[in-house]
Amino acid sequence: LTLNVGSTLLTFVTTSLPSASIGVAYSLQLQASGGSPPYNFSLAAGSLPVGITLSQGGLLSGTASTVSTNNVTFRVTDITGASVTAPFFFAVGQNQITFTNTTPPGAVISQGYSFTFTATGGVSPYTYSIVNGAAPTGLTLSNAGVLSGFPSQTGGFGFT
């Protein structure tokens, strides 16, 4: 018969999981305290988001590929076999898309013009479109974000 006595109660230090974003690398080290290290972490219930894994050392890592909301329960076991579980909510959402350039340079009437909008975040490839207002007469915005053509009217043109 073996009786192992730890110095303190085994507990999870990690109390919540930050959300992940599709297409963005995720890494979080789960933390525990008490008991008798080293610790072994495992998934006790539920499922991790597609693309995310849990190592025995407690590292949640990977790149999520789908939007999801996951209720998961992790287990931590110490060297003596003592274990404790804790429930967590793990959400994966769209990474916010942000324009990296929103001020096209001026154009000259009847002269060829081309400006490419760019963005970061989300999951590329991106599709660009005008949702409010209109491009200057003679210019068009392609799905790839290229504003081009030959402007045929002077003035200020606002569009979203």
Side-chain angles (χ1 to χ4, degrees), residues 14-99:
T14 304
T15 59
S16 65
L17 303 177
S19 296
S21 295
I22 291 176
V24 177
Y26 185 89
S27 180
L28 176 78
Q29 179 64 51
L30 296 177
Q31 300 289 323
S33 68
S36 298
Y39 305 122
N40 182 15
F41 293 84
S42 60
L43 184 64
S47 60
L48 291 172
V50 174
I52 303 292
T53 61
L54 173 66
S55 74
Q56 287 185 344
L59 181 64
L60 278 171
S61 62
T63 303
S65 60
T66 59
V67 171
S68 65
T69 55
N70 304 75
N71 290 304
V72 296
T73 300
F74 294 121
R75 178 184 316 280
V76 61
T77 305
D78 73 4
I79 194 75
T80 70
S83 68
V84 65
T85 60
F88 292 90
F89 177 74
F90 196 173
V92 177
Q94 291 285 353
N95 185 17
Q96 184 175 356
I97 298 173
T98 305
F99 277 98

